[in-house]
Amino acid sequence: NAGVTQTPKFQVLKTGQSMTLQCAQDMNHNSMYWYRQDPGMGLRLIYYSASEGTTDKGEVPNGYNVSRLNKREFSLRLESAAPSQTSVYFCASRSMGWGTEAFFGQGTRLTVV
Amino acid sequence: AQTVTQSQPEMSVQEAETVTLSCTYDTSESDYYLFWYKQPPSRQMILVIRQEAYKQQNATENRFSVNFQKAAKSFSLKISDSQLGDAAMYFCARCNTGNQFYFGTGTSLTVIP
C-alpha cells in the first residue's frame, strides 16, 4: 500500500537552478494537489488538478509549473529556484466525491541557497 | 481568497484533560466540508475528523469531537482525555465545490505528562 509517493525526500538547490518534484498515487484518485508548508503559514495550495488533463492555480502559484502526466502522476517544477521557495512540499490526492479525505505524501524538504 | 483561520499558534494540555482548538473560516458557499488533520513530528498528515456543512449534528470520532457553528463559520476541535500521542500540529481545512482544499496555519499542541 504505497499511497502517495513523493520523490525526492530532500533536496538542496542553488539559486537559479531548476528541478521537478515528482508525485505518484496508486489509489486511482482523480484529484491531486501540491502544497507548501512554511512555519506560521500552514499549508498553502500551489496548484491542483481536479482530474486528468486539467490543472488550476491555487493560492501561491508564482514561480511554479505543474504537469498532470496521467491519472497517477502530478509533478511540480521550479524553473529558476529562489531562496523564498525553501519549504516543505506536500503532494496530496483525493478520490472524486463530495467530502472525501485527502491523502498526503511524506513531503519533500527543499532548501534553496 | 477564502481563508481558514486558526488563531491559536500553540496550545498545551495536561495528560487526561480536555482541550479545544479553534478554527474559523470564510466562504460564500452554502455546502462544503470541513476537516481536522493531525501532523505529528513524522510530518505525515492524518485525518482526524470531518464534517459536512449541511449536517447539523456535530461529528465525533472516539475522543475527538467538533463544535460546528455554521452561522458563525466556526469549527472547533475538542480532544478529550488527552494522551501523549496527541501531541502534534493540528490543521483545520475546508473543501469547497470547486475541489479546492484550503488549510489553516495550524495549532501546535503540547501534552504535558
Side-chain angles (χ1 to χ4, degrees), chain A residues 9 31 33 35 37 40-43 48 50 59 88 90 94 98-102 104 106-109, chain B residues 31-33 35 37 39 42-45 47 50 52 91 95-105:
Chain A
K9 288 187 170 46
S31 301
Y33 305 81
Y35 293 90
Q37 183 178 11
M41 305 291 286
L43 279 81
Y48 67 103
E59 302 167 276
V88 178
F90 284 94
R94 292 173 63 227
W98 196 210
T100 56
E101 73 174 281
F104 285 79
Q106 288 282 59
T108 296
R109 182 175 293 278
Chain B
D31 199 14
Y32 43 89
Y33 262 85
F35 301 80
Y37 275 83
Q39 186 183 45
S42 67
R43 241 169 40 191
Q44 183 63 44
M45 294 286 286
L47 177 68
R50 82 186 88 186
E52 183 180 4
F91 291 99
C95 181
N96 63 5
T97 54
N99 216 32
Q100 296 149 346
F101 214 97
Y102 291 106
F103 285 82
T105 51

Side-chain angles (χ1 to χ4, degrees), chain A residues 64-85:
Chain A
Y64 305 95
N65 285 302
V66 291
S67 295
R68 184 74 183 266
L69 303 171
N70 47 55
K71 192 172 186 179
R72 290 186 64 248
E73 299 172 286
F74 188 39
S75 63
L76 178 72
R77 183 160 178 83
L78 288 71
E79 290 292 351
S80 178
S84 61
Q85 294 177 305

